[in-house]
């Protein structure tokens, strides 16, 4: 037995996660050499692998494993009328409040939340100002600590662009970088219906960038200005909307449990205040290091989206049921999750520290599917060409099947620690027995398991099926 004492619940603080992400190339601050660019981050070599794996796992669950969901990759910049129809030009705003002492801008609803009061985007500006005024004496500026704020105003989050507009005053007639990916899905609902064999109920899934002029991007990659969403819109018959909503609510929660999240770190949160067209709205909240916060939204949106686009485009969005000939505008059940928030949740959930063989280590206990590197290959000694040649041969074999890494730097113990820190489930070492020093072990390698530190001997010929 190996000598490990997993703590299993080591406290994953934001400081530890951000330091690990920077040090090991998961996440870099955006435009760092220019002093940074607020709300912008870059995924480094291991980060891009993790992000790609998160997208792959989501796509498998939402498209590959589903009979009636298809994929889409729609344009980021659309006709500007799309955002008028969707209500974003008129109403996609957050309540902004400025500190009169240091000019720091904050989200009024977030400041209110911190003192136990409530405001959201469904309330009028007047209502929000009333709640803010009632709580002014309790609210301090997060930067300077003073309690001297101006009035709350609404700030539109849509990001303007001059794509396709060559006039100097393009700001008055802009196009927009999409504020959410789902509008591209609504625009293509008819195209998908007409070009594939789907019938209601069917879904369209999409992964892609979205942009919001967030007033106060905070909490690392939790709230960015350029981020990625993974959304699925299911088009359903009106009378089945709530039933299918419930199915998706449960499925989405189960998805995180199946990925290895602990149930106690997840919870449903019902929206207090529904928009007029919505039938139901729940968030899945995750216990981030700064507390339970929204990870994913699941919404029953009625026929609002398609009806609005029908009105603004004058294109009929009705669906004709092939069995009953009944015509109706489908209702929408939506699941919407941020890639970046999932990334942060995954880092938090699988972060651990333990004591292995008398040494404290940091280990990311990623499930195999999510691990950026699945297997690392080491020659026991870097100065023995015969060991290195054999290790290169094993690396070439494995890397055709898995994202693998070759490492010959430092002693094997140090290489293990490096792989533990980036969550690599297996390390394979090529030693003199592999070369036949002990004839019984010719062409076998040592496999070391990340979670337990246990090692076993496996034939090279069996490695691929062993790791799969
Ligand atoms: P919040 O209340 O935290 O601002 P939201 O309710 O506006 O989020 P939605 O519009 O429902 O978020 O977007 C769906 C998902 O997209 C969210 O659950 C979240 O995972 C992700 N998301 C939204 N805004 C951001 C952002 N600024 N940065 C990173 N991810 C985001």
């Amino acid at each position: 037995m190996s000598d490990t004492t997993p703590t299993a619940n080591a406290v994953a603080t934001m400081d530890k996660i951000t330091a690990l992400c920077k040090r090991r190339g998961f996440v870099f601050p955006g435009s760092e050499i220019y002093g940074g660019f607020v709300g912008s981050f870059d995924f480094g070599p291991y980060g891009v692998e993790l992000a790609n794996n998160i997208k792959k796992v989501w796509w498998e669950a939402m498209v590959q494993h589903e009979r009636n969901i298809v994929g889409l990759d729609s344009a980021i910049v659309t006709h500007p009328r799309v955002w008028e129809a969707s209500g974003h030009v008129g109403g996609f705003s957050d309540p902004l409040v400025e500190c009169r002492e240091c000019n720091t801008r904050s989200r009024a609803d977030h400041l209110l939340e911190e003192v136990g009061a409530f405001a959201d985007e469904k309330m009028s500006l007047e209502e929000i100002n009333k709640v803010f005024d009632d709580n002014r004496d309790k609210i301090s500026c997060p930067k300077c600590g003073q309690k001297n704020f101006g009035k709350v105003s609404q700030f539109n989050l849509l990001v303007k662009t001059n794509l396709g507009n060559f006039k100097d005053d393009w700001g008055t007639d802009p196009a927009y970088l999409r504020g959410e990916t789902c509008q591209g899905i609504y625009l293509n609902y008819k195209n998908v219906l007409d070009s594939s064999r789907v019938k209601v109920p069917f879904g369209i899934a999409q992964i892609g960038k979205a942009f919001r002029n967030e007033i106060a991007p905070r909490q690392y990659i939790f709230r960015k200005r350029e981020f990625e969403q993974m959304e699925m819109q299911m088009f359903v018959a009106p009378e089945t909307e709530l039933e299918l909503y419930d199915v998706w609510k449960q499925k989405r929660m189960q998805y995180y449990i199946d990925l290895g999240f602990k149930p106690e770190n997840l919870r449903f949160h019902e929206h207090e205040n529904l928009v007029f067209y919505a039938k139901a709205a729940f968030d899945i909240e995750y216990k981030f290091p700064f507390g339970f916060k929204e990870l994913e939204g699941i919404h029953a949106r009625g026929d609002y989206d398609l009806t609005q686009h029908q009105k603004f485009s004058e294109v009929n969005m009705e669906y004709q049921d092939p069995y009953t000939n009944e015509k109706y505008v489908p209702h929408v059940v939506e699941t919407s999750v941020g890639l970046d928030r999932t990334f942060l949740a995954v880092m938090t959930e699988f972060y651990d520290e333990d004591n292995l063989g008398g040494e404290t280590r940091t280990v990311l206990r990623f499930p195999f599917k999510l691990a950026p590197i699945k297997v690392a290959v080491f020659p026991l000694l870097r100065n023995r060409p015969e060991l290195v040649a054999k290790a290169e041969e094993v690396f070439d074999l494995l890397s055709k099947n898995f994202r693998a890494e070759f490492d010959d730097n430092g002693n094997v113990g140090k290489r293990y620690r490096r792989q533990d820190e980036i969550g690599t489930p297996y390390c394979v070492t090529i030693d003199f027995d592999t070369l036949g020093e002990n004839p019984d072990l010719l062409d076998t390698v040592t496999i070391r398991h990340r979670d337990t530190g246990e090692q076993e001997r496996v034939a090279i010929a069996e490695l691929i099926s062993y790791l799969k």
Side-chain angles (χ1 to χ4, degrees):
M1 278 303 285
S2 68
D3 175 16
T4 64
T5 339
T7 54
N9 274 320
V11 181
T13 63
M14 282 308 281
D15 284 349
K16 287 181 184 173
I17 289 175
T18 50
L20 178 62
C21 282
K22 174 85 199 300
R23 186 160 40 85
R24 299 309 316 273
F26 281 89
V27 180
F28 303 129
S31 312
E32 197 181 8
I33 62 167
Y34 286 94
F37 189 57
V38 177
S40 140
F41 293 88
D42 300 328
F43 287 132
Y46 295 127
V48 68
E49 300 287 350
L50 176 57
N52 283 343
N53 293 339
I54 290 171
K55 289 191 261 189
K56 187 161 179 276
V57 164
W58 184 88
W59 195 264
E60 278 171 7
M62 302 302 286
V63 181
Q64 188 178 322
H65 299 166
E66 292 291 327
R67 259 177 296 172
N68 58 347
I69 301 184
V70 293
L72 179 78
D73 186 5
S74 70
I76 287 179
V77 183
T78 59
H79 194 294
R81 291 273 283 165
V82 170
W83 302 99
E84 286 170 37
S86 67
H88 285 75
V89 172
F92 187 44
S93 46
D94 277 339
L96 175 151
V97 69
E98 195 167 325
C99 170
R100 287 198 184 115
E101 305 289 334
C102 71
N103 299 111
T104 295
R105 291 171 171 178
S106 301
R107 277 203 30 194
D109 54 337
H110 289 169
L111 294 179
L112 284 167
E113 192 184 325
E114 278 163 26
V115 299
F118 175 79
D120 73 4
E121 70 275 14
K122 289 125 207 162
M123 290 163 70
S124 70
L125 189 55
E126 214 180 357
E127 287 169 323
I128 299 175
N129 264 303
K130 163 99 181 53
V131 183
F132 200 85
D133 287 342
D134 290 347
N135 290 279
R136 259 175 201 279
D137 54 333
K138 290 184 239 151
I139 304 172
S140 313
C141 170
K143 181 100 177 276
C144 70
Q146 299 297 309
K147 293 181 174 163
N148 186 9
F149 290 99
K151 277 198 97 55
V152 180
S153 61
Q154 289 288 13
F155 182 81
N156 193 293
L157 304 185
L158 273 185
V159 179
K160 295 175 181 173
T161 165
N162 68 342
L163 191 96
N165 186 334
F166 302 95
K167 294 186 223 130
D168 287 341
D169 62 346
W170 62 270
T172 55
D173 185 19
Y176 301 97
L177 298 184
R178 65 183 173 202
E180 58 186 21
T181 53
C182 60
Q183 293 305 323
I185 291 181
Y186 301 133
L187 301 186
N188 283 288
Y189 141 82
K190 277 246 134 172
N191 284 335
V192 171
L193 202 53
D194 295 344
S195 61
S196 46
R197 294 167 56 86
V198 293
K199 288 192 192 72
V200 167
F202 73 96
I204 304 180
Q206 166 157 247
I207 300 176
K209 286 271 167 106
F211 303 82
R212 296 182 186 177
N213 246 335
E214 296 279 358
I215 297 166
R218 273 195 305 173
Q219 287 146 337
Y220 197 41
I221 57 172
F222 179 84
R223 188 174 301 285
K224 296 164 76 183
R225 290 195 172 127
E226 172 185 340
F227 58 100
E228 208 156 343
Q229 287 186 314
M230 306 186 280
E231 296 201 290
M232 190 280 294
Q233 266 60 40
M234 176 140 285
F235 299 92
V236 307
E239 64 279 8
T240 63
E241 181 177 359
L242 284 176
E243 189 189 320
L244 285 170
Y245 175 79
D246 229 44
V247 168
W248 278 100
K249 200 175 131 203
Q250 301 311 329
K251 270 196 184 193
R252 291 306 300 159
M253 182 59 98
Q254 191 58 40
Y255 164 88
Y256 294 104
I257 308 289
D258 292 347
L259 256 185
F261 280 63
K262 292 187 203 76
E264 62 269 28
N265 291 341
L266 295 157
R267 70 180 188 197
F268 282 119
H269 168 79
E270 188 171 11
H271 285 211
E272 282 88 357
N273 209 352
L274 285 181
V275 274
F276 68 94
Y277 52 80
K279 299 263 177 49
F282 272 81
D283 294 334
I284 293 178
E285 292 188 338
Y286 177 71
K287 194 176 176 191
F288 290 99
F290 37 85
F292 273 102
K293 293 275 176 212
E294 174 178 343
L295 171 63
E296 168 157 357
I298 304 150
H299 311 126
R301 299 182 53 88
D303 63 359
Y304 176 78
D305 306 283
L306 291 183
T307 309
Q308 282 294 103
H309 286 302
Q310 177 167 274
K311 196 160 114 198
F312 278 68
S313 67
E314 295 179 7
V315 171
N316 184 357
M317 292 287 179
E318 279 178 329
Y319 173 78
Q320 181 161 22
D321 187 293
Y323 306 109
T324 63
N325 285 333
E326 187 201 348
K327 281 188 179 170
Y328 57 88
V329 174
H331 286 210
V332 167
V333 172
E334 134 178 297
T335 73
S336 173
V337 56
L339 166 71
D340 312 85
R341 284 193 194 176
T342 311
F343 191 111
L344 185 56
V346 162
M347 290 300 295
T348 310
E349 183 70 24
F350 299 111
Y351 180 95
D352 203 4
E353 290 160 11
D354 67 4
N355 191 293
L356 184 63
E359 228 185 289
T360 307
R361 67 170 181 166
T362 297
V363 53
L364 290 173
R365 299 191 190 277
F366 290 144
F368 188 81
K369 287 192 243 193
L370 292 182
I373 303 294
K374 314 296 183 198
V375 53
V377 180
F378 310 152
L380 182 65
L381 300 168
R382 72 191 301 191
N383 58 359
R384 297 296 291 262
E386 63 277 33
L387 287 176
V388 174
K390 191 70 183 175
E392 281 172 351
E393 202 183 290
V394 173
F395 172 81
D396 289 344
L397 173 81
L398 293 180
S399 61
K400 290 194 177 65
N401 291 270
F402 310 100
R403 183 73 177 86
E405 193 168 87
F406 186 91
D407 189 1
D408 61 0
N409 204 351
N411 68 45
V412 170
K414 284 212 176 92
R415 296 181 221 168
Y416 285 153
R417 290 299 97 81
R418 278 203 293 273
Q419 296 299 330
D420 291 341
E421 241 189 7
I422 61 163
T424 306
Y426 302 105
C427 293
V428 163
T429 303
I430 283 74
D431 56 19
F432 291 105
D433 286 340
T434 315
L435 305 180
E437 198 168 279
N438 174 351
D440 292 344
L441 296 178
L442 177 69
D443 282 332
T444 65
V445 294
T446 302
I447 291 196
R448 184 260 193 184
H449 297 250
R450 175 196 67 199
D451 290 337
T452 57
E454 277 169 22
Q455 302 189 2
E456 56 187 315
R457 206 76 199 174
V458 175
I460 293 172
E462 281 161 26
L463 267 182
I464 291 173
S465 53
Y466 181 96
L467 296 177
K468 271 183 178 159

